[in-house]
Amino acid sequence: MSDLLRLATAGSVDDGKSTLVGRLLYDTKSVLADTLDAVHRASADRGLTTPDLSLLVDGLRSEREQGITIDVAYRYFATPNRSFVLADTPGHVQYTRNTVTGASTAQLGVLLVDARKGVVEQTRRHAAVLALLGVPRLVLAVNKIDLVDYDEVTFVRIAKEFTAHATALGYPEGAVLEIPVSALVGDNVVERSDKTPWYSGPTLLEHLETVPVEPDPHDAPFRFPVQYVIRPRTAEYPDYRGYAGQVAAGTVRVGDEVEVLPGGLRSTVEKIDTFDGPLEEAAAGQSVTLLLADDLDIGRGDLVVAGGRPRVTDEFEATVCWLAEKPLTPGDRVLVKHGTRTVQAVVGSLHARFDEQALSSVDSPGSLRLNEIGRVAVRTAQALPLDEYGEVRRGGAFLVIDPADGSTLAAGLVGAPLPVEDART
Amino acid sequence: MKAADRLESEAIHVFREVAGEFDRPVILFSGGKDSTLLLHLAVKAFWPAPVPFPLLHVDTGHNFDEVIEFRDRVVAKYGLRLEVARVQDYIDDGRLQERPDGTRNPLQTVPLLDAITTHKFDAVFGGGRRDEERARAKERIFSLRNAFGQWEPRRQRPELWNLYNGRHRPGEHVRVFPLSNWTELDVWHYIAREGIELPSIYYAHERKVFLRDGMWLAEGPWGGPRDGEQLVTKTVRYRTVGDGSCTGAVESDAADIASVIAEVAASRLTERGATRADDRLSEAAMEDRKREGYF
């Protein structure tokens, strides 16, 4: 079993996300005494009689002043069974981009709803964003269950509605779990509640500790973006020339034949080097240095591949999550960062805007605004080796960057990784 | 992959990204455990070539001798270049004034920003971890600073997958935190695994200390102890290393790595809460200092 789970929270404002995260930390005894003292003091200063657990996580001055979460925070906690990296993301509509940030590396998404309100617009939007980014598993925490008198009928109604939405987004049965919780009181977060005898499933923490974490598939094609060329030119290593990088997908072994894109040169892996000694093979996630049999002209930005070739193209279709206040309009000149290569690009026609509520798309919307998701045509100054995001996550992901001020404008996903009824058909 | 290998691999990836994309990176190096770990990971990232960055120490003048001795030894061992920005120089020529409470920790910001400007550093590595403090938990791995070195938490760039955006305009720089996802325990487990040497003050030793605001502070040229503060000899160790005026010792018998790990795992106090006076100033002390350009 994997000893680490990366998860992201999402949910609407005031659904109690920070309280839930605070509760997880508090009940797993991940909060140390001085931090807790500070929360007790701050709660008392605000005139509260019980500690406000959201103060454990809302770290910025303005967050505490306004009682909302503004930016993603990363939390670390561990139980004897597993370690967790939790991306705690804000619920406000204007900060949906932070949900994208949290979801891009998550293996599981925890969505919160208020049991009194059920599935709302923001729930559907966040579930769609998690699905789009390929987060393989979802949990729906039906929070504030104490405020509906622990009513089973209410819970079942919300759970059914959410399952239907998740299924429409492409989640298979078993990848989604609904849990009735009260973050404030602590029901079914870490401790099992005796007020929900009708619920036989795991508590949130039990689920997080035991849920399978999908490893990268062994048969995924090998992808290795070259980050940096290591050339010591020292007396000890006069001719050493290694290509440093992190394996983005698949596995490589000494002796494998590889191709270097976009140039298309071929060679064989002679050595896989690390500071701690050479390896026979390296798999997704490992930072290594490759030495090839032939003396090729390779540098930062090149992609070493094997086991199936990505498409090498300067024109492609992509889905973008627009993260900037400045809207996207066709013809915009941008930068595209894919792997370790950054190239100039033009956003061509804007084919569709995705409607996360109806799970349908709107034809030729004219522009894309903050937090909108759309299908665009992209033309790049140099050809890029691209995988479909839905098939090789790291091989199909890219950033859209503003060449003027360097800001990140969009998360880009090559192809169409979400099942959508197209309005045009 | 084990969690420790994943953390190591991520940090190495971050070092190589910066080497590939920036013109003048620098590693902030104080000789403390986080920056020592940072340097160890940098060595691994570029082996068998040398680390392609210089080091920068912002010296408050209130250091522990053991740490400075260690700092110089490590720099010599790896054959690196060390720049030192001295708070004392600024006080001597009147650009900074000594504070009434004697602590020089907040005075580091100006020499740091000056050094960044003078050397035109465009990427500055720090050993900060998100588990240290609530404001740090909000920090990106690549954190853009404006021309005044300020952090603007509301304007942070989204950080997606492992595609780091290091673009910046002239005058701006990026603070880079390869240890973002490590916890204090991860650091200690890794130090044990790799056999990394640390300054001796991280392990239990006898020291003359006195109590101020609930913390055991060492005597020093910074003005401790004051009248009414009693020096006593205790067996202590340090969990963090910083300016002598605000870094407290903890009473401890942990004289080797295994006992330190056991002690940290059992501790009910956070690293900074236990031994850093500067974080106790207000509910948002760290955030406020980061907004000013501090790390």
Side-chain angles (χ1 to χ4, degrees), chain B residues 65-260:
Chain B
D65 295 340
E66 298 92 329
V67 177
I68 294 298
E69 180 272 323
F70 174 82
R71 178 197 78 181
D72 293 341
R73 196 151 46 80
V74 169
V75 170
K77 175 174 136 191
Y78 292 121
L80 298 170
R81 179 162 68 86
L82 173 75
E83 302 284 350
V84 182
R86 289 182 180 80
V87 170
Q88 188 65 54
D89 292 347
Y90 281 72
I91 292 173
D92 290 347
D93 65 19
R95 282 177 288 169
L96 285 173
Q97 274 195 332
E98 198 89 75
R99 291 158 52 100
D101 62 4
T103 181
R104 288 183 174 181
N105 216 33
L107 302 184
Q108 291 179 77
T109 302
V110 172
L112 169 66
L113 295 178
D114 278 357
I116 291 171
T117 311
T118 307
H119 295 280
K120 296 192 168 58
F121 293 131
D122 54 1
V124 183
F125 289 101
R129 309 188 317 264
R130 290 175 179 146
D131 82 321
E132 284 177 79
E133 210 270 345
R134 285 177 304 186
R136 280 249 163 101
K138 301 269 173 184
E139 184 89 74
R140 301 285 191 264
I141 292 175
F142 273 42
S143 184
L144 184 71
R145 301 299 164 107
N146 66 19
F148 298 92
Q150 291 169 316
W151 186 54
E152 297 175 89
R154 275 170 180 274
R155 303 205 55 82
Q156 297 197 87
R157 289 175 181 166
E159 204 152 83
L160 304 150
W161 301 286
N162 60 350
L163 296 174
Y164 301 109
N165 176 2
R167 304 208 49 114
H168 57 282
R169 288 177 288 193
E172 294 175 341
H173 70 277
V174 175
R175 305 268 171 107
V176 184
F177 301 100
L179 305 183
S180 284
N181 289 321
W182 298 58
T183 64
E184 186 185 11
L185 260 184
D186 291 329
V187 167
W188 277 107
H189 279 298
Y190 189 78
I191 285 167
R193 179 180 108 169
E194 302 281 304
I196 299 171
E197 190 198 347
L198 293 182
S200 57
I201 68 169
Y202 280 106
Y203 303 104
H205 58 284
E206 285 205 340
R207 185 178 289 268
K208 280 186 180 160
V209 290
F210 64 92
L211 200 59
R212 181 184 293 172
D213 297 335
M215 281 197 331
W216 290 109
L217 296 178
E219 64 176 327
W222 49 273
R226 294 185 201 127
D227 287 349
E229 291 172 334
Q230 193 76 48
L231 268 185
V232 287
T233 300
K234 293 228 167 244
T235 305
V236 297
R237 69 173 203 89
Y238 286 85
R239 278 174 83 175
T240 67
V241 162
D243 187 70
S245 65
C246 64
T247 304
V250 291
E251 289 185 75
S252 169
D253 294 319
D256 56 33
I257 291 186
S259 4
V260 168

Side-chain angles (χ1 to χ4, degrees), chain A residues 243-266:
Chain A
Y243 305 107
Q246 188 176 36
V247 182
T251 306
V252 67
R253 284 174 198 83
V254 172
D256 279 0
E257 196 181 308
V258 292
E259 188 177 357
V260 185
L261 298 175
L265 302 166
R266 291 177 174 276

Side-chain angles (χ1 to χ4, degrees), chain B residues 56-69:
Chain B
L56 171 66
H57 182 212
V58 183
D59 180 349
T60 65
H62 292 158
N63 299 292
F64 295 89
D65 295 340
E66 298 92 329
V67 177
I68 294 298
E69 180 272 323

Side-chain angles (χ1 to χ4, degrees), chain A residues 2-4 6 29 31-35 42 46 55-57 59-64 66 69-76 85 95 97-98 100-101 104-105 133 227-228 230-232 237 240 244-246 273-276 284-289 300 323 335 337 339-340 342 389 393-394 397-399 401 404-408 410-413, chain B residues 1-10 12-21 40 43-50 52 130-131 133-135 137-140 144 151 153-169 172 180-183 186 193-194 239 267-274 282-285 287-288 291:
Chain A
S2 171
D3 62 347
L4 179 83
R6 288 178 179 269
K29 313 221 166 15
V31 184
L32 298 181
D34 53 324
T35 308
R46 287 164 172 71
L55 293 174
L56 284 172
V57 294
L60 301 175
R61 192 179 271 287
S62 46
E63 290 179 326
R64 287 194 298 275
Q66 297 172 38
T69 308
I70 289 171
D71 203 348
V72 184
Y74 293 86
R75 311 285 162 194
Y76 307 86
V85 177
Y95 301 118
R97 59 180 172 194
N98 292 318
V100 175
T101 297
S104 69
T105 51
L133 285 151
Q227 281 189 285
Y228 191 77
I230 295 189
R231 291 214 62 186
Y237 299 95
Y240 191 98
Q246 188 176 36
D273 231 347
T274 73
F275 175 88
D276 296 299
Q286 283 181 281
S287 284
V288 297
T289 301
R300 179 172 172 84
L323 307 171
L335 297 170
K337 182 171 187 180
T340 52
T342 304
Y389 185 84
R393 210 167 161 183
R394 287 280 152 85
F398 63 92
L399 301 183
I401 296 171
D405 68 2
S407 61
T408 301
L413 305 88
Chain B
M1 274 171 98
K2 285 272 163 215
D5 294 324
R6 217 178 272 116
L7 290 169
E8 179 192 76
S9 174
E10 179 183 70
I12 288 174
H13 177 254
V14 170
F15 272 117
R16 291 166 170 178
E17 278 301 284
V18 171
E21 295 230 318
H40 180 84
V43 168
K44 283 193 157 189
F46 300 102
W47 176 91
R130 290 175 179 146
D131 82 321
E133 210 270 345
R134 285 177 304 186
K138 301 269 173 184
E139 184 89 74
R140 301 285 191 264
L144 184 71
W151 186 54
R154 275 170 180 274
R155 303 205 55 82
Q156 297 197 87
R157 289 175 181 166
E159 204 152 83
L160 304 150
W161 301 286
N162 60 350
L163 296 174
Y164 301 109
N165 176 2
R167 304 208 49 114
H168 57 282
R169 288 177 288 193
E172 294 175 341
S180 284
N181 289 321
W182 298 58
T183 64
D186 291 329
R193 179 180 108 169
E194 302 281 304
R239 278 174 83 175
S267 172
R268 297 299 302 145
L269 292 178
T270 61
E271 182 181 342
R272 301 195 73 92
S282 86
E283 238 189 281
E287 178 185 351
D288 293 346
R291 281 174 182 277

